[in-house]
Amino acid sequence: MTIEYLKRGKSESQRAKDDAKTRTIVEATLNDIETRGDAAVRALSKKFDSYSPASFRLSQDEIDMLIAKLSQQELADIEFAQEQVRNFAQAQKDTMRDLEVEMLPGVVLGHKNIPVQSVGCYVPGGKFPMVASAHMSVATASVAGVPRIIACTPPWQGKPNNAVIAAMHLGGAHEIYVLGGIQAVGAMALGTETIDPVHMLVGPGNAFVAEAKRQLYGRVGIDLFAGPTETMVIADDTVDGEICATDLLGQAEHGYSDPENPTHRSHRIGQLGGLRRGDPVRRLWWDVRGRQRYRIRTCAGDDQPG
């Protein structure tokens, strides 16, 4: 028995075309931001997010107002998570000791660990708000002693995500901007009339954000070249369908282009038919299942080729 595909994703050639199109769009957009500065950033924000405030940078009053909308439990959860991240980051930093030794009279060798002078943290916050990204970028930069930490997150339906803003502020961001996509990354790296450029970019994002970081590498430092999240779950008929779907959804949150690849020995599991009607996991599952890079397949046994 050959592998049966219940749904096929995009072909390799189509994905290559998409990637080439993304590269072209990002290059043109970054050139526009470098040339026109704030005007380009505002035009992009209006086009993609329908957002054009008097200032993209949040004032302290605006930050306080957004944080006040969170429940005490939500704030406590954010503070607890950041405490864990800070404690581990500090433990890591404590292992990175400066060294200075006189090898011969007058010949001193050594090294010092010096934080970068400014960092731009991108935190997804539109359709896929990722509060943890603020912990892992802003809070860790704070522990490292970075003198200037700026953070960008996109708006969703005309406003930023309250929890993301709280995490940025509590993590130690000195400047918080409600900006998303290429315009955020480009503004932080290239600078505009109102945003001074940074020395390093960190944080995840969609294909356009990742490509923008790739193209800006060299002009600024970056944390890493991050591609789409690729996930495979191999399951048989005994698996709990809800757990299977939840594991996939946990990674699919990163964007519509992330390839998820469940491989099953059961049509029932392949269709995730065990999910209850009205269940939030079921609704999310069918949204993700429709993505163009998503594949679902069944096979007869363990020795079937991929």
Side-chain angles (χ1 to χ4, degrees), residues 30 36 51 90 93 107 118 166 205 231 256 285:
L30 291 176
R36 298 198 298 129
Y51 187 71
Q90 185 62 53
K93 183 183 177 184
V107 180
S118 59
T231 308
Y256 288 115
W285 169 255

Side-chain angles (χ1 to χ4, degrees), residues 1-304:
M1 176 181 174
T2 58
I3 292 176
E4 178 185 0
Y5 281 83
L6 303 182
K7 181 185 183 300
R8 288 184 180 271
K10 283 188 175 183
S11 66
E12 291 293 332
S13 61
Q14 185 58 56
R15 279 190 266 177
K17 290 180 182 178
D18 289 347
D19 291 342
K21 184 178 180 180
T22 298
R23 287 193 296 272
T24 300
I25 291 172
V26 170
E27 182 177 12
T29 303
L30 291 176
N31 286 337
D32 188 30
I33 292 171
E34 186 168 25
T35 302
R36 298 198 298 129
D38 283 333
V41 169
R42 184 166 295 278
L44 290 162
S45 182
K46 289 175 67 175
K47 177 180 179 180
F48 293 108
D49 293 319
S50 300
Y51 187 71
S52 182
S55 173
F56 290 104
R57 180 175 177 177
L58 293 179
S59 66
Q60 187 59 54
D61 287 343
E62 289 173 319
I63 292 170
D64 292 340
M65 182 178 64
L66 291 167
I67 294 176
K69 295 179 180 179
L70 296 174
S71 68
Q72 289 300 312
Q73 184 60 58
E74 288 170 327
L75 271 176
D77 290 344
I78 290 171
E79 290 170 348
F80 175 81
Q82 289 201 351
E83 182 181 8
Q84 313 316 307
V85 172
R86 284 181 178 276
N87 288 344
F88 184 69
Q90 185 62 53
Q92 288 181 301
K93 183 183 177 184
D94 291 343
T95 69
M96 302 167 64
R97 298 183 179 180
D98 294 345
L99 172 68
E100 187 173 289
V101 58
E102 188 171 15
M103 303 298 295
L104 295 170
V107 180
V108 179
L109 303 179
H111 64 246
K112 289 186 177 182
N113 295 285
I114 302 173
V116 295
Q117 294 303 290
S118 59
V119 64
C121 306
Y122 185 77
V123 180
K127 293 180 180 177
F128 309 101
M130 297 172 66
V131 179
S133 292
H135 307 332
M136 294 182 284
S137 58
V138 178
T140 51
S142 180
V143 172
V146 177
R148 177 176 175 244
I149 304 169
I150 78 172
C152 284
T153 190
W156 175 242
Q157 297 180 339
K159 60 182 181 180
N161 182 277
N162 300 329
V164 169
I165 297 301
M168 288 174 162
H169 176 67
L170 296 173
H174 302 111
E175 303 166 30
I176 298 177
Y177 297 86
V178 183
L179 275 174
I182 309 171
Q183 60 269 29
V185 175
M188 289 192 289
L190 302 171
T192 70
E193 298 91 325
T194 59
I195 303 175
D196 291 332
V198 298
H199 295 119
M200 185 175 186
L201 291 172
V202 299
N206 62 19
F208 293 96
V209 169
E211 175 61 21
K213 288 172 64 179
R214 188 190 70 80
Q215 292 189 20
L216 289 164
Y217 178 59
R219 299 190 61 161
V220 295
I222 66 170
D223 47 358
L224 76 164
F225 293 110
T229 300
E230 297 183 319
T231 308
M232 172 176 278
V233 170
I234 302 174
D236 62 16
D237 197 48
T238 65
V239 75
D240 183 312
E242 184 171 3
I243 291 177
C244 183
T246 303
D247 281 344
L248 291 167
L249 289 169
Q251 298 304 314
E253 69 173 358
H254 294 168
Y256 288 115
S257 62
D258 288 347
E260 314 295 334
N261 296 280
T263 300
H264 313 284
R265 292 178 62 181
S266 163
H267 273 267
R268 182 185 69 83
I269 298 300
Q271 296 286 1
L272 271 295
L275 299 181
R276 299 181 300 276
R277 289 188 179 279
D279 190 307
V281 174
R282 181 186 178 94
R283 291 197 302 271
L284 285 169
W285 169 255
W286 286 103
D287 170 61
V288 171
R289 190 179 185 275
R291 298 181 186 180
Q292 291 179 317
R293 293 199 180 189
Y294 199 97
R295 293 184 295 179
I296 305 174
R297 52 196 170 187
T298 61
C299 60
D302 298 336
D303 58 348
Q304 288 289 315

